Amino acid sequence: MHRFDIASDGKRVKKDKVLTYKELFYTDDTKSNRRVYIQGEPGSGKSTFAAKLVHDWCDENRPTTAAPNKNASFDDVLIIQNFLFIFFLSLGESRGQTELTHMIKKQIIDTMYSDEKRDVIYTLLLKIIETEICLVIRDGLDEWVAPDGSNLAEPSMAGFLKDKCAVLTTSRPWKLADERIKNSRIDILVEIEGISDSYTFIERVLRCILDKSKDLMTTAIEIWSFIRERQLTWLSNSPMLYTLVICKWVDTMEEEEHLNGTSLCALYTTFLESLCKKANDTTGFFNDLNPPHVKCFSRTSYLRPIIQNVDVISKAAFHLLFSPEKEKSIVFNDQELSNYLTPSEQEFALKAGLISKRKTKRAFNSSISFIHKSIQEFLAAYHIAHNAHLVDDVISGYLGRHSDAYLYISQVFIFLCGLNISAANKLSGIMNEHNNIKRIHRSIFSYEGDTFQRIIEAGYTEAVLNDQTGILLRLSHFYINCENLMVMNNIWRENKSNALFLKIREYEETDHASSDSSDSSSTHSEPTSQVEFDLSSCLNLKGLVLSGSGIHLQGNIYNKTK
């Protein structure tokens, strides 16, 4: 976990590590951080960290120390014992609500107390937040949506005094890039980056799942070596997927091949198959007579017999995620789910663990959601992949109704790039148009790695890993540096005529690229201090910023620029 410094111009620079609760909730020894924001990519451990904090606070019998253990992070639990009350809220379950007090009533009070006691407890809550030191955890800001007609970027903290109440918010990064969330209101911004010690993590998982007849240390070394050999070290950013690979390796430890692929789509296919196997362990294979809808299903062993269940659940995942009633897209009830799944199909999804159901005190009002938002997004992308007309028929209108929706569906888009590049190409064009509209009033000089560009980069990488051809993802605003040069060079080549803004930052001596090179693998082949970009086809270029030396431009852009 790293802290970000937020400069006066809004630029966010990654700084030192945050390894203790004290570093998270206090700046130096004097200033307390009352508005804490934690960002991270899907599966990076945001919700797990929030749950760990609550567990640490609740575990009164655990020996506590003011100073952290040198071998453990966030072991200084005495710091969080300063909070007399902690309220944990899943914002995905309160879509359409704006007041945190109302969310606490619905998610906590209404589920714990009978009707006749709720008003009394709610009155007590209002007194507590005015007089006691408390912490509110808002988990999943990116899953929350404001009600129609509201311009709120996050729920209101009305009633919570800043000197009494701290607020910890978790979110995917795109949401915290929203300009309505003012930097002045952020006391500390940190990014959770998954696993800090991969080998120790492997050992801890193995202690829970490994047969006692197997040597733990030997197995841990073998898995650690396998992950390095398969170039899967990036999985440390996602504890969820890292755990999946460990479990899959243990399940197939007697076999020669442990994974069918290393792309996100391949890993989520493995995840999906491992879940479905719990509900039906009958084997069956796709073949030339019965081909799968998507390539990454072709080497599975358990999906073919239950593919109809997968298809209908994927259809439900899509229509719920893209529902006109956004407050019901992540968390829904029995009646809403019954629009898409029969009782037997719901039973399969529950038995497999694809969805989870939480009963409330009110009959026929269960709270249902997919096991993880990214699973719903993968299933939705799978449904789009073999129903490409949905891009025009449903998604285009959905993006038009909600200004930030093109960022909200970013993970669906990335999955789609690996499943059906043709549909992803079309979707990228629609998303790019919305991004262009959003950027109209922004200055190119403050353009530092746009969120949308990172989505396109991730989509391109996923398409390549899945051997997709004909990659024509659309992008109009470019920020290119030595870190993204290889990928952005390929994306730039297909978007010169669409380019509106181009910003090139100073490169390292060994970086080299030619935007007309036919072989992207030559990007780092010859050490040189010169980077060449041919702008002769950039008919719509409106802004150009160059930073550093050794950047060579070709083409007369002055007569081309509008």
Side-chain angles (χ1 to χ4, degrees), residues 74-309:
F74 297 96
D75 201 42
D76 54 334
V77 295
L78 277 180
I79 295 296
I80 56 175
Q81 293 297 332
N82 292 328
F83 299 114
L84 296 182
F85 295 89
I86 290 184
F87 302 98
F88 183 96
L89 297 173
S90 175
L91 294 186
E93 295 190 21
S94 294
R95 298 160 71 87
Q97 287 186 292
T98 60
E99 302 289 338
L100 285 186
T101 50
H102 296 166
M103 296 180 188
I104 293 173
K105 182 180 185 303
K106 181 179 179 181
Q107 291 191 33
I108 300 176
I109 296 176
D110 289 357
T111 58
M112 294 178 63
Y113 298 95
S114 58
D115 289 340
E116 58 269 19
K117 293 183 179 180
R118 288 173 187 167
D119 289 342
V120 175
I121 299 299
Y122 184 69
T123 301
L124 178 61
L125 166 68
L126 297 179
K127 183 176 181 180
I128 287 172
I129 64 177
E130 289 181 356
T131 59
E132 306 295 345
I133 303 297
C134 57
L135 170 66
V136 177
I137 298 176
R138 306 186 302 181
D139 186 39
L141 180 60
D142 56 286
E143 298 180 11
W144 177 82
V145 292
D148 291 340
S150 172
N151 193 41
L152 287 175
E154 54 185 332
S156 169
M157 291 296 300
F160 291 85
L161 304 179
K162 193 169 183 179
D163 62 334
K164 293 289 185 180
C165 180
V167 182
L168 184 150
T169 305
T170 70
S171 177
R172 293 184 182 180
W174 68 264
K175 181 64 176 180
L176 296 186
D178 193 319
E179 293 179 338
R180 292 172 298 172
I181 300 177
K182 302 300 182 183
N183 290 329
S184 59
R185 294 168 58 183
I186 300 176
D187 290 334
I188 183 172
L189 171 64
V190 298
E191 183 168 47
I192 192 165
E193 298 169 319
I195 303 163
S196 58
D197 185 338
S198 298
Y199 181 80
T200 300
F201 183 82
I202 293 171
E203 282 193 328
R204 288 178 177 174
V205 174
L206 288 177
R207 287 193 183 98
C208 300
I209 64 173
L210 189 65
D211 189 287
K212 292 184 178 180
S213 64
K214 306 293 183 181
D215 183 74
L216 186 144
M217 183 177 294
T218 301
T219 306
I221 292 173
E222 289 176 349
I223 294 176
W224 185 74
S225 299
F226 168 77
I227 288 173
R228 291 176 63 87
E229 290 169 2
R230 294 293 292 269
Q231 297 182 336
L232 287 170
T233 53
W234 61 270
L235 283 176
S236 62
N237 294 326
S238 175
M240 182 178 73
L241 293 181
Y242 210 106
T243 302
L244 170 68
V245 171
I246 296 170
C247 294
K248 183 66 175 178
W249 195 97
V250 171
D251 287 343
T252 60
M253 61 192 309
E254 305 300 332
E255 302 174 16
E256 292 185 6
E257 185 58 62
H258 301 293
L259 284 176
N260 290 331
T262 58
S263 69
L264 277 178
C265 288
L267 291 171
Y268 272 84
T269 297
T270 299
F271 194 4
L272 174 65
E273 186 176 28
S274 66
L275 291 173
C276 291
K277 182 182 175 182
K278 295 191 299 181
N280 188 327
D281 60 359
T282 303
T283 58
F285 305 95
F286 293 103
N287 51 42
D288 293 340
L289 295 178
N290 295 292
H293 292 306
V294 293
K295 184 178 179 180
C296 59
F297 280 17
S298 60
R299 298 178 64 186
T300 60
S301 302
Y302 297 94
L303 293 184
R304 176 70 185 91
I306 45 87
I307 194 62
Q308 290 183 338
N309 283 320

